[in-house]
Coordinates of all heavy atoms in Angstrom, one line a residue:
M28 N -14.0 -2.9 0.4 CA -12.6 -3.1 0.2 C -12.1 -2.2 -0.9 O -11.0 -1.9 -1.0 CB -12.4 -4.6 -0.2 CG -11.0 -4.9 -0.6 SD -10.1 -5.3 0.9 CE -8.8 -6.3 0.3
E29 N -13.0 -1.8 -1.8 CA -12.6 -0.9 -2.9 C -12.0 0.4 -2.4 O -11.0 0.9 -2.9 CB -13.8 -0.6 -3.8 CG -13.4 0.2 -5.0 CD -14.6 0.4 -6.0 OE1 -15.4 -0.5 -6.1 OE2 -14.6 1.5 -6.5
N30 N -12.6 1.0 -1.3 CA -12.1 2.2 -0.8 C -10.7 2.0 -0.2 O -9.8 2.9 -0.3 CB -13.0 2.8 0.2 CG -14.3 3.4 -0.4 OD1 -14.3 3.8 -1.5 ND2 -15.3 3.5 0.4
E31 N -10.5 0.9 0.5 CA -9.2 0.6 1.1 C -8.1 0.5 0.0 O -7.0 1.0 0.1 CB -9.2 -0.6 1.9 CG -10.0 -0.5 3.2 CD -11.5 -0.7 3.0 OE1 -12.0 -1.0 1.9 OE2 -12.2 -0.6 4.0
M32 N -8.5 -0.2 -1.1 CA -7.5 -0.4 -2.2 C -7.2 1.0 -2.9 O -6.0 1.2 -3.2 CB -8.1 -1.4 -3.2 CG -7.0 -1.7 -4.3 SD -5.5 -2.4 -3.6 CE -6.1 -4.0 -3.0
R33 N -8.2 1.8 -3.0 CA -7.9 3.1 -3.6 C -7.0 3.9 -2.7 O -6.1 4.6 -3.2 CB -9.3 3.9 -3.8 CG -10.1 3.4 -4.9 CD -11.3 4.3 -5.1 NE -12.2 3.7 -6.1 CZ -13.3 4.3 -6.5 NH1 -13.7 5.4 -5.9 NH2 -14.0 3.7 -7.4
F34 N -7.2 3.8 -1.4 CA -6.4 4.6 -0.4 C -5.0 4.0 -0.5 O -4.0 4.8 -0.5 CB -7.0 4.4 1.0 CG -6.2 5.2 2.0 CD1 -6.1 6.6 1.9 CD2 -5.5 4.6 3.0 CE1 -5.4 7.3 2.9 CE2 -4.8 5.3 3.9 CZ -4.8 6.7 3.9
F35 N -4.8 2.7 -0.6 CA -3.5 2.1 -0.6 C -2.8 2.6 -1.9 O -1.6 3.0 -1.8 CB -3.6 0.6 -0.6 CG -2.3 -0.2 -0.8 CD1 -1.5 -0.2 0.3 CD2 -2.0 -0.8 -1.9 CE1 -0.2 -0.9 0.2 CE2 -0.8 -1.5 -2.1 CZ 0.1 -1.5 -1.0
I36 N -3.4 2.6 -3.0 CA -2.8 3.1 -4.3 C -2.5 4.5 -4.2 O -1.4 4.9 -4.6 CB -3.8 2.8 -5.5 CG1 -3.9 1.3 -5.7 CG2 -3.3 3.5 -6.7 CD1 -5.0 0.9 -6.6
Y37 N -3.3 5.3 -3.6 CA -3.1 6.7 -3.3 C -1.8 6.9 -2.5 O -0.9 7.7 -2.8 CB -4.3 7.4 -2.7 CG -3.9 8.8 -2.1 CD1 -3.9 9.9 -3.0 CD2 -3.7 9.0 -0.8 CE1 -3.6 11.1 -2.5 CE2 -3.4 10.3 -0.3 CZ -3.3 11.3 -1.2 OH -3.0 12.6 -0.7
L38 N -1.7 6.1 -1.4 CA -0.5 6.2 -0.6 C 0.8 5.9 -1.3 O 1.8 6.6 -1.2 CB -0.6 5.3 0.6 CG -1.6 5.7 1.7 CD1 -1.7 4.6 2.8 CD2 -1.3 7.0 2.3
I39 N 0.7 4.8 -2.1 CA 1.9 4.4 -2.9 C 2.3 5.4 -3.9 O 3.5 5.8 -4.0 CB 1.7 3.0 -3.5 CG1 1.4 1.9 -2.5 CG2 2.8 2.6 -4.5 CD1 2.6 1.7 -1.5
E40 N 1.3 5.9 -4.6 CA 1.6 6.9 -5.7 C 2.1 8.2 -5.1 O 3.0 8.9 -5.6 CB 0.4 7.2 -6.5 CG 0.0 6.0 -7.4 CD -1.3 6.2 -8.2 OE1 -2.1 7.1 -7.8 OE2 -1.5 5.5 -9.2
S41 N 1.5 8.6 -3.9 CA 2.0 9.9 -3.3 C 3.4 9.7 -2.8 O 4.2 10.7 -2.9 CB 1.0 10.2 -2.1 OG -0.2 10.5 -2.6
Y42 N 3.7 8.6 -2.2 CA 5.1 8.4 -1.7 C 6.1 8.3 -2.8 O 7.1 8.9 -2.7 CB 5.1 7.1 -0.9 CG 6.5 6.8 -0.2 CD1 6.8 7.5 0.9 CD2 7.4 5.9 -0.8 CE1 8.1 7.4 1.5 CE2 8.6 5.7 -0.2 CZ 9.0 6.4 0.9 OH 10.2 6.2 1.5
A43 N 5.7 7.7 -3.9 CA 6.6 7.6 -5.0 C 6.9 9.0 -5.6 O 8.0 9.4 -5.9 CB 6.0 6.7 -6.1
D44 N 5.8 9.8 -5.6 CA 6.0 11.2 -6.1 C 6.9 12.0 -5.2 O 7.7 12.8 -5.6 CB 4.6 11.9 -6.2 CG 4.6 13.2 -6.9 OD1 5.3 13.4 -7.9 OD2 4.0 14.2 -6.3
Y45 N 6.6 11.8 -3.9 CA 7.4 12.5 -2.9 C 8.9 12.2 -3.0 O 9.8 13.0 -2.8 CB 6.9 12.2 -1.5 CG 7.7 12.7 -0.3 CD1 7.7 14.0 0.0 CD2 8.5 11.8 0.4 CE1 8.5 14.5 1.1 CE2 9.3 12.3 1.5 CZ 9.3 13.6 1.8 OH 10.1 14.1 2.8
K46 N 9.2 10.9 -3.2 CA 10.6 10.4 -3.3 C 11.1 10.5 -4.8 O 12.3 10.2 -5.0 CB 10.7 8.9 -2.9 CG 10.5 8.7 -1.5 CD 11.6 9.3 -0.7 CE 11.7 8.9 0.7 NZ 12.8 9.3 1.4
N47 N 10.3 11.1 -5.7 CA 10.7 11.3 -7.1 C 11.2 10.0 -7.7 O 12.2 9.9 -8.3 CB 11.8 12.4 -7.2 CG 11.9 12.9 -8.6 OD1 10.9 12.9 -9.3 ND2 13.1 13.3 -8.9
T48 N 10.4 8.9 -7.5 CA 10.7 7.6 -8.1 C 9.4 7.0 -8.6 O 8.3 7.7 -8.7 CB 11.3 6.7 -7.0 OG1 11.8 5.5 -7.6 CG2 10.3 6.4 -5.9
S49 N 9.5 5.8 -9.1 CA 8.3 5.2 -9.7 C 7.5 4.3 -8.6 O 8.1 3.9 -7.6 CB 8.7 4.3 -10.9 OG 9.4 3.1 -10.4
T50 N 6.3 4.1 -8.9 CA 5.5 3.2 -8.0 C 6.1 1.8 -8.0 O 6.0 1.1 -6.9 CB 4.0 3.2 -8.3 OG1 3.9 2.8 -9.7 CG2 3.4 4.5 -8.1
D51 N 6.6 1.4 -9.1 CA 7.2 0.0 -9.2 C 8.4 -0.1 -8.2 O 8.5 -1.1 -7.5 CB 7.7 -0.2 -10.6 CG 8.2 -1.6 -10.8 OD1 7.5 -2.6 -10.4 OD2 9.3 -1.8 -11.3
V52 N 9.2 0.9 -8.1 CA 10.4 0.9 -7.2 C 9.8 0.8 -5.7 O 10.3 0.1 -4.9 CB 11.3 2.1 -7.4 CG1 12.3 2.2 -6.3 CG2 12.0 2.0 -8.7
V53 N 8.8 1.7 -5.4 CA 8.3 1.7 -4.1 C 7.7 0.3 -3.7 O 7.9 -0.2 -2.6 CB 7.2 2.8 -4.0 CG1 6.5 2.7 -2.6 CG2 7.8 4.2 -4.2
M54 N 6.9 -0.3 -4.6 CA 6.3 -1.6 -4.3 C 7.3 -2.7 -4.1 O 7.2 -3.5 -3.2 CB 5.3 -2.0 -5.4 CG 4.0 -1.1 -5.5 SD 3.1 -1.2 -3.9 CE 2.7 -2.9 -3.9
K55 N 8.4 -2.7 -4.9 CA 9.4 -3.7 -4.8 C 10.1 -3.5 -3.4 O 10.4 -4.5 -2.7 CB 10.5 -3.5 -5.9 CG 9.9 -4.1 -7.2 CD 11.0 -4.0 -8.3 CE 10.4 -4.5 -9.6 NZ 11.3 -4.3 -10.7
F56 N 10.3 -2.3 -3.0 CA 10.9 -2.0 -1.7 C 10.0 -2.5 -0.6 O 10.4 -3.1 0.4 CB 11.2 -0.5 -1.5 CG 11.9 -0.2 -0.2 CD1 13.1 -0.6 0.1 CD2 11.2 0.6 0.7 CE1 13.7 -0.2 1.3 CE2 11.7 0.9 1.9 CZ 13.0 0.5 2.2
R57 N 8.7 -2.2 -0.7 CA 7.7 -2.6 0.3 C 7.6 -4.1 0.4 O 7.6 -4.7 1.4 CB 6.3 -2.1 0.0 CG 6.2 -0.6 0.3 CD 4.8 -0.1 0.0 NE 3.8 -0.8 0.7 CZ 3.4 -0.4 1.9 NH1 3.9 0.6 2.5 NH2 2.4 -1.2 2.5
D58 N 7.7 -4.8 -0.8 CA 7.6 -6.2 -0.9 C 8.9 -6.8 -0.2 O 8.8 -7.9 0.5 CB 7.5 -6.7 -2.3 CG 6.1 -6.4 -2.9 OD1 5.2 -6.2 -2.1 OD2 6.0 -6.5 -4.1
K59 N 10.0 -6.2 -0.4 CA 11.3 -6.7 0.1 C 11.2 -6.7 1.7 O 11.7 -7.6 2.3 CB 12.4 -5.9 -0.4 CG 13.8 -6.3 0.2 CD 14.8 -5.4 -0.4 CE 16.2 -5.7 0.2 NZ 17.2 -4.8 -0.3
L60 N 10.5 -5.7 2.2 CA 10.4 -5.5 3.7 C 9.2 -6.3 4.2 O 9.0 -6.4 5.4 CB 10.2 -4.1 4.1 CG 11.4 -3.2 3.8 CD1 11.1 -1.7 4.1 CD2 12.6 -3.6 4.5
G61 N 8.4 -6.9 3.3 CA 7.2 -7.6 3.8 C 6.0 -6.7 4.2 O 5.1 -7.2 4.8
L62 N 6.1 -5.5 3.8 CA 5.0 -4.5 4.2 C 3.7 -4.6 3.4 O 2.7 -4.4 4.0 CB 5.5 -3.1 4.2 CG 6.7 -2.8 5.1 CD1 7.2 -1.4 4.8 CD2 6.3 -2.9 6.5
T63 N 3.8 -5.0 2.2 CA 2.6 -5.1 1.4 C 1.7 -6.3 1.9 O 0.5 -6.1 2.1 CB 3.0 -5.4 -0.1 OG1 3.8 -4.3 -0.5 CG2 1.7 -5.4 -1.0
D64 N 2.4 -7.4 2.2 CA 1.6 -8.5 2.7 C 1.0 -8.2 4.1 O -0.1 -8.6 4.4 CB 2.5 -9.8 2.8 CG 2.9 -10.3 1.5 OD1 2.2 -10.0 0.5 OD2 3.9 -11.0 1.4
L65 N 1.8 -7.5 4.9 CA 1.3 -7.1 6.2 C 0.1 -6.2 6.1 O -0.9 -6.3 6.8 CB 2.4 -6.4 7.0 CG 2.0 -5.8 8.4 CD1 1.6 -7.0 9.3 CD2 3.2 -5.0 8.9
Y66 N 0.1 -5.2 5.2 CA -1.0 -4.3 5.0 C -2.2 -5.0 4.5 O -3.3 -4.8 5.0 CB -0.6 -3.2 3.9 CG -1.7 -2.2 3.7 CD1 -1.9 -1.2 4.5 CD2 -2.5 -2.4 2.5 CE1 -3.0 -0.3 4.2 CE2 -3.6 -1.5 2.3 CZ -3.8 -0.5 3.1 OH -4.8 0.4 2.9
M67 N -2.1 -5.9 3.6 CA -3.2 -6.7 3.1 C -3.8 -7.6 4.2 O -5.0 -7.7 4.2 CB -2.8 -7.5 1.9 CG -2.4 -6.7 0.7 SD -3.8 -5.6 0.3 CE -3.3 -5.0 -1.3
A68 N -3.0 -8.2 5.0 CA -3.5 -9.0 6.1 C -4.3 -8.2 7.1 O -5.3 -8.6 7.5 CB -2.3 -9.7 6.8
C69 N -3.8 -7.0 7.4 CA -4.5 -6.1 8.3 C -5.9 -5.7 7.7 O -6.9 -5.6 8.4 CB -3.7 -4.8 8.6 SG -2.2 -5.2 9.6
M70 N -5.9 -5.4 6.4 CA -7.1 -5.0 5.7 C -8.2 -6.2 5.8 O -9.3 -5.9 6.1 CB -6.9 -4.6 4.3 CG -6.3 -3.3 4.1 SD -7.4 -1.9 4.5 CE -6.9 -1.6 6.2
K71 N -7.7 -7.4 5.6 CA -8.6 -8.5 5.7 C -9.2 -8.7 7.1 O -10.4 -9.0 7.3 CB -7.9 -9.8 5.2 CG -7.6 -9.9 3.8 CD -6.9 -11.1 3.4 CE -6.6 -11.1 1.9 NZ -5.7 -12.3 1.5
D72 N -8.3 -8.5 8.1 CA -8.8 -8.6 9.5 C -9.8 -7.5 9.8 O -10.8 -7.7 10.5 CB -7.6 -8.5 10.4 CG -6.8 -9.8 10.5 OD1 -7.3 -10.8 10.0 OD2 -5.7 -9.7 11.0
A73 N -9.5 -6.3 9.3 CA -10.4 -5.2 9.6 C -11.8 -5.4 8.9 O -12.8 -5.2 9.6 CB -9.8 -3.9 9.0
I74 N -11.8 -6.0 7.8 CA -13.1 -6.3 7.1 C -13.8 -7.4 7.8 O -15.1 -7.3 8.0 CB -12.8 -6.7 5.6 CG1 -12.4 -5.4 4.9 CG2 -14.1 -7.3 5.0 CD1 -11.9 -5.7 3.5
R75 N -13.1 -8.4 8.3 CA -13.8 -9.5 9.0 C -14.4 -9.0 10.3 O -15.4 -9.5 10.8 CB -12.7 -10.6 9.4 CG -12.8 -11.8 8.4 CD -11.9 -12.8 8.9 NE -10.6 -12.4 8.4 CZ -9.5 -12.9 8.8 NH1 -9.4 -13.9 9.7 NH2 -8.3 -12.5 8.3
N76 N -13.7 -8.0 11.0 CA -14.2 -7.5 12.2 C -15.3 -6.5 12.2 O -15.8 -6.0 13.2 CB -13.0 -6.9 13.0 CG -12.0 -8.0 13.4 OD1 -12.4 -9.1 13.6 ND2 -10.8 -7.6 13.5
V77 N -15.7 -6.1 11.0 CA -16.8 -5.1 10.8 C -18.1 -5.7 11.1 O -18.5 -6.7 11.1 CB -16.8 -4.6 9.4 CG1 -18.0 -3.8 9.1 CG2 -15.5 -3.8 9.1

């Protein structure tokens, strides 16, 4: 799970840099859309299926 979390953080930081904003703003936007919970649920399913 550690590699998945590192990748998730990398994606968030890269997107924030691309949009010239903070990671906090990006995470709040993802949370508002429900994408963070969806991503975490998918990661849990992927780990269970390994």
Side-chain angles (χ1 to χ4, degrees):
M28 178 85 158
E29 184 176 325
N30 287 337
E31 290 85 0
M32 189 56 70
R33 285 184 187 182
F34 183 66
F35 179 72
I36 292 168
Y37 168 77
L38 289 177
I39 297 300
E40 289 176 344
S41 296
Y42 184 76
D44 187 48
Y45 173 75
K46 289 293 191 175
N47 198 28
T48 190
S49 69
T50 55
D51 186 50
V52 170
V53 173
M54 288 303 295
K55 286 179 182 175
F56 181 69
R57 289 180 56 88
D58 288 343
K59 181 179 176 183
L60 296 176
L62 296 175
T63 303
D64 292 337
L65 176 64
Y66 179 82
M67 293 306 193
C69 290
M70 285 289 94
K71 288 178 184 176
D72 284 346
I74 290 170
R75 259 186 281 165
N76 293 330
V77 169

